[in-house]
Amino acid sequence: MAKNTNLGAAKNAKNDEFYTQYADIQKEVNAYIEYNPDVFRGKTILLPCDDPEWSNFTKFFAQNFEFFGLKKLISTSYAIESKKYKTDWQPTLFETENPLYNVEKSRIKGKIFTLTHDTNANGRIDIDDLQWNYLEGDGDFRSAEVTALRDEADIIITNPPFSLFRDFLAWIMERRKQFLIIGSMNAITYKEVFPLIKDNKIWLGVSFGSKTYIKINGETQTMGNTCWYTNLEHSRRHQPLKLMNMADNLKYNNKLKGLTEYQHYDNYDAIEVPYTEVIPNDFEGIMGVPISFLDKYCPEQFEIIGNEYDLNLSKGRGYVNGKRCYGRIFIRKK
């Protein structure tokens, strides 16, 4: 309950600032490297919603610049968002020791960090070779300045502001860029997001339920129910679920204990499947499954028919024996 409250507070305050653990980034990105070792080779990566001075995204991709074979790394920050509500704001050691530092600019202008080559001539390209400067504006991703960086980039990777997730995804899709971003699990049901998932234009990443953190009025709190959204291929996306038939599920699976048959919806021609693991492999009709099914969704195995909203179910949800069910996605076996 506390985690969901944090999400609501972030949305209402609209000063949400996210950060992600290095290990979580590494775990997720490694899955794409394992599927395609050259996924980042020769590519320009943009990290447009980070404070490059402490962002684990910036650290991770800078440290792996040569291993991934990157062409260029660009990381930007949003000055106003990160500073306006910190009444005790002080410049970082990085800033005060850098000749480019300007106390007034640091409050109103975003920063841009770039990495392309071995600037310190030590024989390798890594985080010590990052070069930085102030942006002309505050670093808002919707600005012409950062949008130009979007157009230059091949892949966009970040943890965007929760309150601006819809806008950020639309900003990416406008130029059909490849991406890997973190968002609330609830975003699956957004009218701007679900059709893209249904049409296999975007899908969930590998790490479902990753730990993400949010700063609300300067206080760090855990944010739950998050997942990665992407259009980069990974191996788990093409691994079919191993399933039993209807009779065996009803006989052996405790999650269906007490049932003699799969229940049908009162207001839609489909059966209710309350858990992903009890999806029957011998049913040819439409099935209502939990939203979390998308974490196991294999497009070669199932077709997504829709959800309650775009199928326009009466009363807005599926009902079984007069009882309202949780949110469902409707699928059919291929």
Side-chain angles (χ1 to χ4, degrees):
M1 179 66 71
K3 292 177 181 178
N4 290 334
T5 301
N6 292 345
L7 287 173
K11 187 173 181 179
N12 293 333
K14 294 191 182 298
N15 59 4
D16 42 338
E17 179 181 335
F18 300 85
Y19 63 96
T20 311
Q21 295 183 107
Y22 190 98
D24 290 333
I25 297 169
Q26 185 175 45
K27 177 183 177 182
E28 182 71 21
V29 172
N30 280 349
Y32 302 89
I33 293 291
E34 290 169 4
Y35 183 76
N36 177 12
D38 295 321
V39 63
F40 300 123
R41 191 165 303 281
K43 301 294 179 65
T44 294
I45 290 181
L46 172 63
L47 315 172
C49 295
D50 297 276
D51 188 328
E53 295 160 46
W54 53 260
S55 164
N56 284 320
F57 281 98
T58 302
K59 293 175 184 175
F60 177 77
F61 282 100
Q63 288 298 97
N64 288 282
F65 188 94
E66 289 188 330
F67 178 70
F68 292 161
L70 298 182
K71 175 184 177 182
K72 186 176 183 180
L73 180 65
I74 308 170
S75 182
T76 64
S77 68
Y78 181 23
I80 301 300
E81 189 73 359
S82 61
K83 306 277 172 54
K84 70 179 180 182
Y85 60 90
K86 296 180 180 178
T87 57
D88 60 345
W89 176 83
Q90 295 293 327
T92 64
L93 183 64
F94 174 87
E95 291 176 311
T96 56
E97 291 186 347
N98 196 295
L100 290 176
Y101 171 68
N102 179 294
V103 65
E104 293 303 322
K105 281 188 176 182
S106 65
R107 287 180 179 272
I108 63 174
K109 292 185 178 295
K111 298 187 190 73
I112 179 169
F113 283 58
T114 57
L115 179 58
T116 57
H117 62 285
D118 179 14
T119 60
N120 59 13
N122 68 351
R124 63 179 182 274
I125 305 174
D126 57 23
I127 196 168
D128 293 328
D129 297 302
L130 280 167
Q131 296 179 300
W132 81 281
N133 210 325
Y134 289 106
L135 292 165
E136 291 298 318
D138 61 18
D140 189 318
F141 70 86
R142 296 161 293 189
S143 67
E145 186 177 21
V146 180
T147 297
L149 296 174
R150 174 203 66 181
D151 295 345
E152 176 187 351
D154 299 296
I155 304 174
I156 297 167
I157 302 175
T158 194
N159 191 346
F162 171 77
S163 59
L164 297 175
F165 185 85
R166 293 175 175 87
D167 294 337
F168 188 79
L169 182 60
W171 181 75
I172 293 174
M173 299 302 290
E174 185 179 43
R175 286 292 182 269
R176 300 181 180 179
K177 295 292 181 177
Q178 290 188 301
F179 67 90
L180 177 61
I181 61 176
I182 295 175
S184 165
M185 182 175 164
N186 294 331
I188 290 170
T189 63
Y190 294 170
K191 65 180 181 180
E192 301 88 349
V193 178
F194 184 77
L196 298 173
I197 295 175
K198 177 183 174 183
D199 295 338
N200 278 305
K201 293 181 179 179
I202 71 172
W203 44 85
L204 298 194
V206 174
S207 305
F208 194 72
S210 298
K211 286 184 179 180
T212 304
Y213 299 88
I214 182 170
K215 284 189 178 180
I216 302 176
N217 297 325
E219 181 183 349
T220 301
Q221 302 176 32
T222 303
M223 186 181 81
N225 300 325
T226 62
C227 53
W228 296 77
Y229 295 84
T230 189
N231 56 5
L232 296 170
E233 290 288 358
H234 56 81
S235 58
R236 205 177 80 182
R237 172 170 147 78
H238 301 286
Q239 294 175 2
L241 280 167
K242 294 181 179 180
L243 303 168
M244 295 190 296
N245 60 38
M246 296 183 81
D248 285 345
N249 271 313
L250 290 164
K251 185 176 181 179
Y252 298 113
N253 200 307
N254 287 332
K255 291 190 173 182
L256 295 179
K257 190 174 181 179
L259 293 179
T260 57
E261 63 179 3
Y262 282 77
Q263 297 178 303
H264 284 73
Y265 291 101
D266 303 338
N267 55 339
Y268 190 63
D269 186 14
I271 61 169
E272 157 71 354
V273 181
Y275 304 96
T276 298
E277 55 266 44
V278 298
I279 294 174
N281 62 14
D282 60 345
F283 184 73
E284 302 298 328
I286 299 175
M287 300 170 276
V289 298
I291 291 172
S292 57
F293 158 80
L294 289 175
D295 182 44
K296 305 290 192 301
Y297 169 52
C298 171
E300 290 82 18
Q301 185 180 22
F302 291 103
E303 172 191 4
I304 297 176
I305 305 299
N307 62 13
E308 299 104 330
Y309 307 108
D310 62 1
L311 292 174
N312 198 27
L313 265 65
S314 61
K315 301 181 181 180
R317 284 280 177 90
Y319 280 74
V320 173
N321 296 326
K323 184 178 179 181
R324 186 173 186 258
C325 297
Y326 289 105
R328 292 290 185 254
I329 292 171
F330 293 90
I331 64 171
R332 180 164 44 206
K333 186 168 68 73
K334 284 188 174 180

